[in-house]
């Protein structure tokens, strides 16, 4: 054993909490599926942020990625009984997720994000306060109109209690959570449920902000017909749009559809994409094959890549499952012939 001092919050106790949490989730399909669905939907929103030759690797995508990681960390912390820290991560995810839209509000994120991204010791590099963020977000006509009807800022204010966990506002917001309980991490069903409910509110708010900035994301169209998988446009697949729509109310969907129809940039881009010639199935398959090879060569390795592909297939009701499985088999043949079954790290280790 490694002596780490007089620990009360021992790692072994976290394992006990994790086991209790898993048992609870196994008997509560609603919470389990909701957390999963929200995670997949926010993952899809990554496609809403344009990646161009001008902004690729610029850092404009970093706030979204950091937000995603904080969401995942919050669930991990809650699973192990660190609820106060889970709420703090949700607060961080909310703020940095809003920065994803804030810095890209005028499609200049690749420039304006630089001081903050590089943590420079300047006033401009400080993370802006909520008031400043909303001032900038409200300069977007779509966000401003939607906020006036559905109270986006009110939704944000309703999450202000997260600040109390960050700064420990007394016993209620401490590691004791206002409870008379053991002085170590324990499974607390009601607190885990509150974490999951907060997780839902954070994800829904961030998704709404992103799709209002990029309303073309909610248009259901077979984009792959025109671009294959090498799609530079801020659009989602039909199945992804459907999943995101399930998170929104009927009135919200009607308003977003209206915004999309009246947004000139959205309509111009949509018409441009529709005017492109259709790609052949062979062209698309070759595109996908080359991309898969690249991912495997760069580091992932076939076995890890295959596992992730099968996981994605299991979560999306894809009508082309058979075609996807055939593609996986094609990549397997190539990987075996070129010694690409293991990750790049494992391959280098064996040489």
């Amino acid at each position: 054993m490694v002596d780490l001092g007089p620990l009360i919050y021992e790692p072994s106790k976290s394992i006990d909490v994790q086991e209790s949490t898993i048992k609870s989730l196994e008997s509560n399909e609603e919470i389990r599926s909701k957390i999963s669905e929200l995670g997949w939907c926010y993952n899809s929103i990554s496609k809403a942020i344009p990646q161009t030759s001008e902004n690729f690797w610029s850092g404009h995508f970093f706030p979204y990625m950091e937000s995603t990681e904080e969401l995942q960390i919050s669930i991990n912390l809650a699973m192990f009984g660190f609820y106060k820290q889970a709420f703090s991560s949700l607060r961080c995810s909310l703020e940095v997720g809003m920065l994803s839209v804030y810095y890209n509000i005028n499609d200049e994120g690749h420039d304006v994000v630089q001081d903050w991204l590089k943590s420079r010791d300047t006033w401009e590099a400080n993370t802006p306060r909520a008031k400043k963020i909303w001032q900038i977000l409200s300069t977007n006509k779509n966000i401003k109109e939607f906020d006036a009807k559905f109270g986006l800022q009110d939704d944000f204010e309703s999450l202000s209690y997260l600040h109390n966990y960050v700064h420990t506002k007394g016993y209620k917001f401490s590691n004791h959570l206002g409870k008379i309980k053991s002085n170590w991490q324990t499974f607390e069903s009601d607190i885990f449920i509150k974490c999951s409910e907060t997780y839902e509110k954070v994800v829904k708010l961030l998704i709404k902000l992103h799709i209002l900035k990029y309303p073309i994301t909610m248009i259901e169209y077979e984009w792959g017909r025109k671009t294959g998988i090498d799609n530079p446009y801020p659009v989602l697949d039909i199945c992804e749009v459907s999943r995101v729509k399930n998170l929104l109310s009927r009135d919200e969907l009607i308003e977003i559809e209206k915004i999309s129809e009246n947004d000139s940039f959205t309509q111009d881009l949509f018409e441009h994409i529709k005017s492109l010639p259709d790609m052949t199935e062979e062209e698309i398959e070759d595109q996908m094959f080359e991309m898969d090879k690249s991912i495997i060569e760069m580091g992932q390795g076939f076995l890890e890549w295959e596992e992730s592909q099968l996981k994605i297939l299991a979560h999306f009701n894809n009508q082309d499952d058979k075609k996807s499985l055939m593609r996986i088999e094609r990549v397997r043949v190539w990987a075996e012939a070129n010694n690409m079954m293991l990750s790049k790290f494992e391959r280098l280790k064996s040489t």
Side-chain angles (χ1 to χ4, degrees):
M1 293 287 291
V2 177
D3 183 7
L4 297 175
L7 292 184
I8 297 176
Y9 284 83
E10 296 175 339
S12 60
K13 293 187 175 73
S14 287
I15 302 303
D16 294 338
V17 175
Q18 182 194 32
E19 291 175 355
S20 297
T21 306
I22 290 173
K23 286 180 182 177
S24 177
L25 286 171
E26 286 175 344
S27 62
N28 196 323
E29 167 65 23
E30 183 179 355
I31 291 180
R32 187 173 74 250
S33 62
K34 180 169 287 188
I35 291 173
S36 175
E37 196 71 8
L38 288 163
W40 281 106
C41 285
Y42 196 52
N43 182 69
S44 295
I45 287 299
S46 64
K47 295 182 179 180
I49 305 168
Q51 303 275 9
T52 68
S53 58
E54 183 180 13
N55 66 25
F56 203 68
W57 298 115
S58 69
H60 79 297
F61 196 64
F62 175 75
Y64 167 81
M65 288 302 302
E66 184 72 2
S67 174
T68 301
E69 291 175 4
E70 288 290 349
L71 280 174
Q72 294 176 19
I73 289 168
S74 73
I75 292 296
N76 275 271
L77 289 168
M79 290 284 290
F80 286 115
F82 295 111
Y83 302 112
K84 175 179 182 286
Q85 290 73 25
F87 283 119
S88 296
S89 276
L90 285 173
R91 171 71 180 191
C92 186
S93 176
L94 173 62
E95 291 184 339
V96 78
M98 290 170 63
L99 289 183
S100 172
V101 182
Y102 170 89
Y103 282 120
N104 289 298
I105 200 73
N106 294 316
D107 302 311
E108 297 174 345
H110 52 288
D111 287 328
V112 296
V113 77
Q114 293 305 314
D115 284 341
W116 177 81
L117 178 70
K118 295 173 182 175
S119 308
R120 288 176 176 148
D121 191 18
T122 63
W123 180 84
E124 291 83 4
N126 293 336
T127 299
R129 295 182 180 274
K131 184 178 179 181
K132 175 65 172 178
I133 292 174
W134 280 109
Q135 284 177 346
I136 297 300
L137 294 182
S138 296
T139 62
N140 179 277
K141 183 172 178 287
N142 299 338
I143 293 175
K144 184 176 181 179
E145 291 180 357
F146 193 91
D147 179 36
K149 293 184 179 180
F150 297 99
L152 289 175
Q153 292 190 61
D154 292 338
D155 291 341
F156 173 78
E157 290 299 329
S158 74
L159 291 163
S160 61
Y161 62 87
L162 292 174
H163 184 76
N164 298 329
Y165 290 101
V166 176
H167 297 285
T168 315
K169 187 181 177 182
Y171 193 68
K172 180 180 178 181
F173 299 98
S174 71
N175 288 305
H176 296 276
L177 308 165
K179 292 173 172 278
I180 300 174
K181 61 184 286 296
S182 303
N183 291 334
W184 56 76
Q185 61 272 47
T186 56
F187 172 62
E188 304 294 335
S189 177
D190 57 329
I191 303 298
F192 186 85
I193 289 172
K194 184 177 180 181
C195 272
S196 66
E197 290 173 345
T198 305
Y199 179 93
E200 179 180 8
K201 291 176 182 177
V202 169
V203 172
K204 283 185 175 180
L205 178 55
L206 294 179
I207 284 177
K208 289 172 190 176
L209 288 172
H210 279 86
I211 62 180
L212 288 167
K213 170 66 180 92
Y214 308 105
I216 196 171
T217 54
M218 287 294 96
I219 294 179
E220 296 181 82
Y221 184 77
E222 293 183 12
W223 309 103
R225 286 172 44 202
K226 305 294 183 178
T227 65
I229 60 164
D230 189 15
N231 194 336
Y233 305 109
V235 295
L236 274 58
D237 295 335
I238 291 176
C239 62
E240 293 175 307
V241 175
S242 178
R243 293 179 81 139
V244 172
K245 283 185 174 181
N246 286 335
L247 300 180
L248 307 176
S249 71
R250 181 175 177 275
D251 288 342
E252 287 174 330
L253 288 173
I254 291 173
E255 182 65 21
I256 288 170
E257 183 177 353
K258 190 186 302 180
I259 286 172
S260 177
E261 291 174 350
N262 294 328
D263 187 275
S264 58
F265 177 80
T266 294
Q267 292 303 316
D268 289 346
L269 182 56
F270 187 29
E271 291 302 318
H272 166 71
I273 297 173
K274 285 196 297 183
S275 71
L276 298 173
D278 285 1
M279 294 189 70
T280 66
E281 284 193 28
E282 291 76 14
E283 288 174 329
I284 295 174
E285 281 299 315
D286 287 342
Q287 236 185 16
M288 298 181 78
F289 181 56
E290 291 302 320
M291 184 190 75
D292 294 337
K293 284 167 55 179
S294 176
I295 292 172
I296 291 168
E297 286 176 322
M298 285 168 57
Q300 198 172 47
F302 174 80
L303 294 177
E304 187 180 342
W305 171 84
E306 180 188 36
E307 183 181 353
S308 66
Q309 292 299 302
L310 293 175
K311 192 178 293 185
I312 291 171
L313 284 177
H315 279 85
F316 289 96
N317 296 321
N318 194 333
Q319 295 178 346
D320 294 327
D321 280 359
K322 185 176 179 181
K323 187 184 295 184
S324 298
L325 291 172
M326 289 174 62
R327 184 182 311 116
I328 290 173
E329 188 57 33
R330 181 186 178 191
V331 177
R332 177 193 292 277
V333 172
W334 166 82
E336 288 176 341
N338 292 275
N339 190 30
M340 294 289 175
M341 299 300 286
L342 302 177
S343 69
K344 186 174 183 178
F345 175 74
E346 293 294 330
R347 296 196 303 269
L348 290 173
K349 229 175 31 169
S350 63
T351 58

